[in-house]
Amino acid sequence: MDKGTHFHNCDFQVHTPRDLRWTGNKFGVNEDQLSGLTEQNKFEINQQREQFAKEYLQKARDAGLNAIAITDHHDVVFAKIIRKVSKEESREFEETSQFEKIITVFPGMELTLSNPNCQCIIIFDADYPDNDLDSVVNFLGLNPSNEYLKNHAQINRISQQVVGDLNELHLKLDELGYCKGKYIILPNVNHNGQSTILRQGFNEHYCKMPCVGGYVDGNISTETGYQNKINGGDRNYGEKAIGVLSTSDNRNEDGSGFGTHSTWVKWEKPTAEALRQACLARTSRISLQNPELPLIHISRLEVTGSKFLSSFVIEFNKQYNAIIGGRGTGKSTILEYLRWGLCDQTDLYIDDERKTDLVKKRESLIEKTLVPFDGEVRITFIVNGIVHIIKRNSKTRVILLKIGDNEFQQVKEEEIQSVLPVQAYSQKQLSSVGIRTDELRRFIEQPILSQLETLRFNLNDNEKKIRICYNNHLRKQKIQTENDQINLQVKSLREQVEKLRQSLIGISEDDQKIISNKQIYDNELLIINQIKRDFEFLSEKTHEFIEFIKRYPSPISLEGELINHELIKEIDEARIGNFSKIKVAANNLQNLINESAQSKLNELIIKWNELNNSFHVQYESSKAKAASNQSQINEIQRIEETLKTMLDDLAKRTAVITEMGNPEVELITLRRDWLQINRNRLRLLTEQSNNLNILSKNFISANYSKSLDTNAIKEKIMSAFQGSRVREDKIQSLCDAMKNSEDPLLTWTNILDEIRLIVESSGTVSLTDIPLLNSSGLTAIHMENIKEKLTPEKWIELALSEIEFNPDFRYTTNNQMGDSIQFAEASAGQQATALLTVLLNQPGYPLIIDQPEDDIDNRAIGEIISNIWEAKKKRQIIFTSHNANIVVNGDAELVACCDYLESDNQTHGRIKAEGAIDSKQIKDEITLVMEGGARAFKLRKEKYGF
C-alpha cells in the first residue's frame, strides 16, 4: 500500500464492560471480593478480558469498522487491554497480507467537565504508551477504581479547580511533555441534551474553545440552525466551523451499535494530530458515508533500471499524488516513464513542430536512460477492482499485459491505449492545446467515447448495407434495362415468327392452327419453368439455412461461478431444446419442398409435359407437311431457338430481380437510418457540450447548432464535381445554404438526393426537381456536365463520406453579462485554467499533468485548489509541481519527494521521501524545495484552517 493518507471507517466512542451502563458480561469482581483476589484469579480475569477483546474486535470488523476509540468514563483499563490484543492480531494480519482485517485502536476517555458543564472525549495517538495514559488520568485528578473491579468509579465532574475550561485543559495538557501534540479533545456537540456544548447559553464557550472538532451520539442533526453553527455560519457562535464525528456510543457486548453511526476519517498514521488535521480539513478528510473514491487508478510504477533514478518503485494513492523536488531531480522523468509504460501518445493534438520535439524528447529519454540498462517499466493499473499489469521493455519494445488472474500476453500500443487510457499533459502543453479544435473536441468526446464508438459502429454497419443496397439498386436497374432490351427483341422476333407462320402455304387449316399454337405453348413453358425455379430457389435457400443452423446453439460453459446455477442450467437446456425444434422444422421444410416435386403440383406439371410433348409431335408433323415452305420453316426454327434462349435468359434475370427484393425502398430506409444515427451523434455531442459548460464552471461554451463541417463537405463536392466546370462560388453558396438551414444534416441528405437524381436520370432533369442545386446558381448546363463527369460510384462515395461536427468554442469573460469571445482569442492562462477546471470536474481515468502551474493564471490557483478537493473523489490525479499551494492546500494524499542521490553530485537521483503533508519530513521537504513552501503552510492555516 502507498504511504499516503487513506480513509478509515471509525467509531470514536466505544465503551467496555467497565462502563456503568454496560449490557453484557462484566469480567471482574465486586469491591468486597477485591482483597481475596489471588494471582491466579487475576490471570483468569485478564484471560477472560483478552478473549472478550478478541470477540469485540471481530464484531467491529464484521461491522466494517477499521478503527475504534475506547472511551470509557474517566477510565483507561480496557483501552489498554483491547489495544494490546489489536496490536497482536495486526501483526498476524500483516504477515499474511490480510490488511483489511486490521482494527486500529485509539485509547481515550470520556470526560465530564464542570466548566463548561458538558461532556467531551479525549483521544490519544494509537501507540500512546500505557504508562502515559495512567499519568494523564492522575493529572486530571481522577480517582480510578481498581483495574480488577467490574465497574469503573462513579462519575464525578472534573472540578473547575482542576480544569477551568477547555482552553485551560489544552494548556495544562500541552505542558506535559509526554502529552503535547499526542491528543485531541472533542466536545459533545449534540443538537440537544444536557451534555452538549451547543446548548443555549454556551455560545461563548464554543467561540473560545481551541477544539477543532466535536462528536455526536448517533446521527448528526440536519436542522438548519444547527448546521449553520457547526459549519461556521452563525455569528453568535463566532462563525467557527468544526469537524463533527458521528459515534455509536456502543455499550452492548454484542456490538450492535457498531457500524450504525460511524465516520470515515482520512489519515496516513493513526495519531491525534491526524484526527485534528481531519477536523480542520473536514471537506476533504471526513465523510459520514462510504467515501467516493476513484474506481480506476494506477497503483504502482516500477522501473527495473534507469540511468538517473536507477531502479525504483512508487506506490500511488487512489486520489491526489504530487511529485515534488528541485529542478532536475527526476520529477518529469517519472511521469514520462509512466506515460511511456501506458503507451500514452505524446504527439496527440499538438502542432507538427511541437509534436516532433515532444516525440524526439521522449524517444531520447527512453534511448538514453532505459535502453542501455535494459530498463523495463512495470505498471499496476486497477480498473473497477480488476488488476491490470503492464510490462514494457525498453530494449525489445515488447509490451506484455496481464489482466486479473490470466497469463501475460503480448499486446500492441493501441490495445493498451484502449483498455487503460489516461489524460496526460507535458509541461506547458495544456496551454498550447487550448486553441486546437481537436483537443477541445476531445474534452467533449472523451467521457462519451463508448457511446460514440457504438454510434460509429452502427454508422459503419449502416454504410456497408447502403453500399450493398445501392449496388443492388444499380444492378437491378442494369438488369431491368437489359430486360427491356431483351423484351423488345422478343417482341420483334415473336411478330416475325408469327408473320412467317402465317405466310406458310400449302398446308391445311388444322396444321396452320397447330403451328400458330407453338407460341402459346412456349409461353406456357415459361410459366412452368418459373414455377420450377421458385421451388429450386426455395430449396437452395432452405439448404443454406440448414447448414447455417448447424453452427448453433453456440457452446456455453456453466463451469464458472453462478449464483442461480440450476436456473441457468434449465435456461440452457430450454435453449438447446428450442434449437433442436428449429432444426427439425427446417428439415421438415426441406422435406416439404422436396415432396412438392412428388405432389399434385408435380402430377399436374407431368400432365402438362405430356400435352406439350404430344403437341410437339403434331407441330413437327405439321411443319414437315410444309415442304414447299422450307426457307420459312428454317427461319421459324432459328427464331424459335433464339426465342427459347432469350426467354430462358429473361426468366433467369427476372428471378434475380425477384431475389433482390426492392433495393430502392430499402435504400430510402437505410439512408433515413444514416441520418438518424448522425442526428443521435449530434444530440449526444450537444448534451456533452452542455455538460462541458457546467464542468468548466461556465468558462467554456460549445455551440453545436450549426456545427456541421461544411468546409470538409465543400472539398468533397468539389472533388466529385471535378471537370464539370462548376465554379467554387456555386459550391460555396450551396454549403452556406446548408449551414444556415434549420437542419443542416437533412439539407445535406436532400442535396445528395438531388445529385443522385442527376446521376441516375436517363434524360434531362427539370430544374424544379432540384431546388437546392438550382438556388445555388447551378444551371441546366451544369447539370449535364455533372451527369457526364459524376458516376454512380462517385456519388455513393460522396454520400457515404464521413461528416464531422466542429462546434463554435467560446470563452466567457463575464458570466453575469453573458460576454464571451472566441476561445482561441482568450489568453493561454485563461484557456489552460478553463481546461484544467474541466479536467478536474470530469470523472474517469487518471489525470497526469507535469507542472500544471506553468499553464494557469496565478489568480486562479485558489479556484483550482477547490476543484482538486472535489476532483480526487472522482478520478486519480498525478501532478508534478513546484507550486506549494497546489500541493499543500490541495491536500495531496501522497507526496513523493525527488532529490539527488548526493547533494554535490547531480548525476543520480532518488525518491527521498513519500508520505502525506502531515508528516514532518514531507513538510520539511516542501518548505525546503518548493516555491512558497512556508507561505503555503501559513496560508493553509489562515485560509483553510489547517
Side-chain angles (χ1 to χ4, degrees), residues 673-690:
D673 292 344
W674 178 91
L675 178 61
Q676 189 57 50
I677 293 170
N678 279 293
R679 277 179 170 163
N680 290 342
R681 184 168 153 234
L682 181 59
R683 175 187 52 77
L684 190 62
L685 290 168
T686 301
E687 290 172 357
Q688 191 59 27
S689 70
N690 295 335

Side-chain angles (χ1 to χ4, degrees), residues 7-10 220 243-246 261-266 278-279 281-293 873:
F7 275 109
H8 305 268
N9 193 11
C10 311
I220 298 174
V244 180
L245 309 177
S246 175
H261 302 291
S262 59
T263 305
W264 292 82
V265 182
K266 188 188 294 181
C279 288
R282 63 193 187 283
T283 304
S284 175
R285 299 195 183 196
I286 293 178
S287 177
L288 296 177
Q289 293 85 34
N290 195 339
E292 183 182 5
L293 296 173
K873 298 176 184 178

Side-chain angles (χ1 to χ4, degrees), residues 248-382:
S248 70
D249 197 20
N250 182 71
R251 287 181 163 85
N252 303 317
E253 185 177 7
D254 63 5
S256 55
F258 288 155
T260 56
H261 302 291
S262 59
T263 305
W264 292 82
V265 182
K266 188 188 294 181
W267 65 69
E268 175 193 352
K269 294 179 181 178
T271 64
E273 175 62 19
L275 301 184
R276 191 178 78 86
Q277 293 288 337
C279 288
L280 289 166
R282 63 193 187 283
T283 304
S284 175
R285 299 195 183 196
I286 293 178
S287 177
L288 296 177
Q289 293 85 34
N290 195 339
E292 183 182 5
L293 296 173
L295 297 174
I296 304 169
H297 67 282
I298 301 162
S299 65
R300 178 185 172 95
L301 167 67
E302 178 183 0
V303 177
T304 61
S306 67
K307 180 180 180 180
F308 183 72
L309 291 166
S310 189
S311 295
F312 68 91
V313 173
I314 296 181
E315 302 276 355
F316 288 105
N317 191 278
K318 284 184 178 182
Q319 295 189 282
Y320 176 23
N321 303 264
I323 303 175
I324 70 170
R327 299 189 184 277
T329 54
K331 305 184 302 299
S332 297
T333 298
I334 290 172
L335 287 199
E336 285 302 319
Y337 287 160
L338 186 61
R339 294 178 66 182
W340 184 76
L342 290 169
C343 306
D344 181 57
Q345 294 172 295
T346 305
D347 57 345
L348 280 179
Y349 309 113
I350 51 179
D351 59 80
D352 292 337
E353 186 176 345
R354 284 208 67 216
K355 180 190 298 184
T356 303
D357 290 342
L358 284 172
V359 171
K360 285 181 179 178
K361 185 177 179 181
R362 173 180 285 183
E363 286 302 316
S364 176
L365 177 71
I366 301 303
E367 290 294 332
K368 291 180 179 179
T369 67
L370 288 183
V371 173
F373 303 90
D374 198 17
E376 187 169 81
V377 174
R378 300 173 178 178
I379 298 169
T380 305
F381 202 131
I382 312 296

Side-chain angles (χ1 to χ4, degrees), residues 184-244:
I184 183 172
I185 293 173
L186 303 170
N188 185 299
V189 290
N190 284 347
H191 182 214
N192 296 305
Q194 294 304 307
S195 299
T196 176
I197 199 170
L198 283 181
R199 63 187 187 272
Q200 189 173 2
F202 277 56
N203 55 310
E204 284 298 320
H205 288 294
Y206 181 87
C207 292
K208 293 178 180 178
M209 71 177 185
C211 306
V212 296
Y215 78 95
V216 298
D217 304 312
N219 289 324
I220 298 174
S221 172
T222 58
E223 193 268 328
T224 304
Y226 174 81
Q227 285 290 321
N228 201 34
K229 291 173 187 174
I230 63 175
N231 288 312
D234 192 323
R235 189 175 297 177
N236 294 323
Y237 283 78
E239 296 179 332
K240 180 186 181 73
I242 59 172
V244 180

Side-chain angles (χ1 to χ4, degrees), residues 572-623:
D572 186 50
E573 290 172 351
R575 172 184 75 112
I576 294 170
N578 285 345
F579 270 104
S580 297
K581 291 177 183 178
I582 292 170
K583 289 178 180 180
V584 169
N587 287 320
N588 289 339
L589 177 61
Q590 182 71 75
N591 293 335
L592 181 62
I593 295 167
N594 292 336
E595 287 171 4
S596 297
Q598 314 296 327
S599 65
K600 182 178 180 181
L601 173 65
N602 190 48
E603 293 176 4
L604 294 173
I605 291 174
I606 291 172
K607 185 176 181 180
W608 181 87
N609 283 333
E610 290 173 352
L611 292 173
N612 185 47
N613 292 336
S614 175
F615 168 77
H616 269 278
V617 170
Q618 294 175 347
Y619 178 67
E620 291 301 325
S621 173
S622 296
K623 282 200 304 182

